[in-house]
Amino acid sequence: FLAAGVRDISEGFEPSAALVKATMIHSGQKMFYQTPDGNWRWPDSLPIVELGYGRVDLSTVLWFGADSDFQLRVFDRETVDPGQTREFDFVTDDVQELKVTLVWTDPAGVPYSARSLVQNLDLSVTNPSGTVLAGNGFVDDLNNNEQVTISNAATGSYSVKITGTPLGRQTFTLIVTGALQTSEDTPATTPRPTSSSSTTEAPTTSSSTTE
């Protein structure tokens, strides 16, 4: 159905498990929660222990053309090698929320291991002023999903980096929503590897997940 609202079999595709999970996480919205002392609070940011990534609202991540007030970019089944950094560049042309979600399917760990995560990837977003924002608000080496949300993202260029410190090549999914520029003169996305030893070609977005 995609954005047209009518069935089109040619637009069908098989999302990875990471893409399904990333879509749900990316759609998370703030909501009131009750503290142990019985009070209700509105979270300052997400994720938090009490809510995780928040209340699911798929209309904030699935793109429906003119009915959506944001642009969507999806990169599924991308790969990163140990010591490699994948970089995705975006340009925004309006003040709007910018949200970036990274998810990967982690291999099974060793039973009773003190560390659950096997393959560690790190997400960071550099804003137009040069400030670097870490996924989940810190250098996270515990979870296989990370997110950066900028409530009122200033217009300009943003650099999204996925740094690989896994034991081997790892597949991942990246979702970005916001006022992403779509001018052909200034591409909204320019993914590329930044490791000098990498031979991975720069991928392009799937036509089934972008406008």
Side-chain angles (χ1 to χ4, degrees):
F1 288 84
L2 204 62
V6 294
R7 188 177 185 182
D8 186 349
I9 297 178
S10 67
E11 292 287 359
F13 69 103
E14 294 184 6
S16 67
L19 176 55
V20 175
K21 180 179 179 180
T23 301
M24 298 293 287
I25 288 175
H26 197 91
S27 75
Q29 302 296 305
K30 294 179 181 179
M31 61 183 292
F32 282 103
Y33 67 97
Q34 194 168 24
T35 61
D37 58 10
N39 293 320
W40 289 90
R41 286 194 58 190
W42 184 261
D44 295 326
S45 62
L46 295 173
I48 60 173
V49 173
E50 294 84 357
L51 295 178
Y53 287 92
R55 171 179 55 85
V56 173
D57 181 357
L58 292 177
S59 69
T60 64
V61 60
L62 301 180
W63 188 75
F64 295 102
D67 291 334
S68 298
D69 61 356
F70 60 87
Q71 296 296 321
L72 167 67
R73 298 291 179 270
V74 175
F75 302 87
D76 194 23
R77 295 186 174 91
E78 299 296 324
T79 60
V80 63
D81 292 317
Q84 181 188 22
T85 295
R86 293 291 306 280
E87 183 172 353
F88 300 76
D89 296 332
F90 302 88
V91 177
T92 61
D93 55 13
D94 195 6
V95 177
Q96 190 183 88
E97 178 184 86
L98 178 68
K99 182 180 284 189
V100 182
T101 300
L102 167 69
V103 171
W104 66 98
T105 300
D106 201 41
V110 178
Y112 307 109
S113 172
R115 178 184 173 85
S116 299
L117 191 66
V118 176
Q119 300 275 70
N120 181 41
L121 304 183
D122 288 311
L123 168 68
S124 68
V125 178
T126 303
N127 66 19
S129 65
T131 301
V132 179
L133 307 172
N136 293 343
F138 65 101
V139 180
D140 189 345
D141 62 355
L142 301 175
N143 300 291
N144 66 331
N145 39 257
E146 299 189 14
Q147 188 177 92
V148 171
T149 301
I150 305 174
S151 297
N152 295 293
T155 59
S157 299
Y158 289 81
S159 175
V160 176
K161 293 183 179 180
I162 314 298
T163 301
T165 55
L167 302 177
R169 174 170 290 187
Q170 178 62 47
T171 302
F172 66 88
T173 292
L174 182 71
I175 296 180
V176 181
T177 56
L180 306 176
Q181 193 175 87
T182 58
S183 169
E184 293 181 357
D185 296 330
T186 308
T189 54
T190 309
R192 62 179 183 275
T194 57
S195 170
S196 59
S197 61
S198 171
T199 58
T200 305
E201 295 182 358
T204 58
T205 55
S206 169
S207 60
S208 62
T209 55
T210 58
E211 57 177 339

